[in-house]
Amino acid sequence: MATFHKAFQVFSSTENSNSIRMPQKHLETTLYMYQVHTLASNLEKYSADPAKVCAQYPWATRFAMGHPLAPWQRPAVWTDEQKVKFITSIWMGADLGSYLVNDWYEYADQAGAFAINSEVLLDGQQRLTALEEYLLGRFGVPDASGQVRFWSELGNEERQRFLNMPFAQARVSSSDEVTLRQAYDLRAFGGTPHSEDQRASS
């Protein structure tokens, strides 16, 4: 037997209480429609002189595609299978979502070191770490015929196709660590993992 519901209305037809306030955003977020190439260029710059970059961010415990990670962020936890799936999704043109960086920096000393949380990567560590490891040849992914291929084996035409895939960058700007931690938690703890019986394809 069908259940009938009241028709949805975008706006109320009656006067509601003006005392109700829903959660407010703590940081303004700006989205930039970049490509994988942006991250690859960042990694190329980082790998040319890792010691120099580490000296600029002495508080960073790790880096992902050249972006510093704060000490309070969790470690890389993706399995090899997850990494391969993510890289394959890039090749297949899937929506990669966005990664989040703090578009704020401040010099901490005259030597050029940045203050903690400057330009820190707030969300996307697992994806960017997988991308870095793939580009550096630490694992390969199956080609169209199923044979595992490494980045070093590919010609420039295929490399260019991969690098041209869209990968948006979201930016916030804040020196307040409490607010940055809240932004991190908001992005990191919002999803529920699927179970195997919920897979849509075989």
Side-chain angles (χ1 to χ4, degrees):
M1 184 175 179
T3 302
F4 294 94
H5 300 279
K6 183 179 178 181
F8 169 75
Q9 291 179 301
V10 175
F11 294 105
S12 174
S13 58
T14 60
E15 188 64 31
N16 289 323
S17 172
N18 290 323
S19 64
I20 299 173
R21 289 293 179 267
M22 300 303 290
Q24 303 291 310
K25 58 185 174 183
H26 297 274
L27 290 170
E28 290 289 339
T29 304
T30 306
L31 192 66
Y32 295 87
M33 300 310 296
Y34 290 151
Q35 299 170 319
V36 174
H37 196 287
T38 301
L39 286 165
S41 296
N42 204 47
L43 176 62
E44 189 173 49
K45 176 183 174 183
Y46 169 80
S47 62
D49 195 349
K52 179 181 178 181
V53 179
C54 289
Q56 289 179 310
Y57 307 94
W59 44 267
T61 53
R62 290 157 289 126
F63 290 81
M65 294 300 291
H67 286 282
L69 294 161
W72 40 267
Q73 291 173 273
R74 73 170 179 172
V77 296
W78 268 12
T79 64
D80 291 343
E81 182 182 10
Q82 287 173 303
K83 295 173 186 177
V84 169
K85 285 182 177 179
F86 176 66
I87 298 302
T88 301
S89 74
I90 298 179
W91 279 112
M92 297 180 71
D95 178 17
L96 306 178
S98 64
Y99 57 98
L100 179 66
V101 298
N102 185 26
D103 188 26
W104 171 89
Y105 71 91
E106 184 175 276
Y107 288 107
D109 58 37
Q110 293 183 344
F114 292 118
I116 188 168
N117 298 321
S118 294
E119 301 179 333
V120 70
L121 177 70
L122 293 167
D123 181 61
Q125 177 193 171
Q126 309 304 324
R127 289 169 292 161
L128 268 60
T129 298
L131 179 59
E132 177 175 322
E133 291 182 0
Y134 173 63
L135 294 177
L136 294 179
R138 293 174 187 162
F139 68 91
V141 299
D143 65 10
S145 67
Q147 184 174 347
V148 174
R149 300 288 189 180
F150 290 81
W151 182 255
S152 60
E153 298 179 79
L154 306 180
N156 284 334
E157 184 176 344
E158 281 295 85
R159 291 188 185 201
Q160 191 64 54
R161 183 169 70 86
F162 183 85
L163 296 172
N164 283 343
M165 293 297 182
F167 198 172
Q169 181 190 96
R171 294 182 192 174
V172 295
S173 181
S174 178
S175 61
D176 181 26
E177 185 169 305
V178 172
T179 302
L180 293 174
R181 284 174 179 255
Q182 290 173 341
Y184 169 79
D185 286 345
L186 188 63
R187 297 270 294 220
F189 292 94
T192 302
H194 284 66
S195 58
E196 191 58 35
D197 65 313
Q198 294 170 331
R199 186 180 293 276
S201 61
S202 56

